[in-house]
Amino acid sequence: QVQLVESGGGLVQAGGSLRLSCVASGTMFRINMAWYRQAPGKQRELVAAVTGGGITNYVNSVKGRFTISRDDPKNTVYLQMNSLKPEDTAVYYCNAGPDRYGLNYWGQGTQVTVSS
């Protein structure tokens, strides 16, 4: 059973930056990883993803502002968030999978709040 632990959330003013980190308890080598977010009253949405081979994709609303990256030797995925907007306010969740057993894993979430 893999555990994912996120960190790096917080309160920031509009235009500011934050970097989220997600550390996995086991190897994530060649496993797809992603960041999702869920704002109050809204469905969870995919923000950014990186494949095991390093291919990235982003939701349109964050393109050019957010960057996802991974460090496999450290079992860590990052989300660099720049030019933050109030509409980026949400709980951000790390996701990994599917692994070789077909399982997906979620972190507990980290709150990001952007003030105007």
Side-chain angles (χ1 to χ4, degrees), residues 41-86:
K42 295 187 177 182
Q43 288 188 332
R44 190 173 297 189
E45 67 169 349
L46 176 65
V47 176
V50 56
T51 68
I55 298 172
T56 60
N57 68 80
Y58 301 89
V59 67
N60 284 340
S61 60
V62 308
K63 285 181 179 178
R65 300 189 298 122
F66 291 11
T67 302
I68 189 170
S69 60
R70 61 190 297 157
D71 187 337
D72 285 342
K74 294 183 178 180
N75 298 326
T76 301
V77 64
Y78 303 98
L79 186 66
Q80 177 67 44
M81 305 185 295
N82 299 327
S83 302
L84 282 161
K85 303 176 181 180

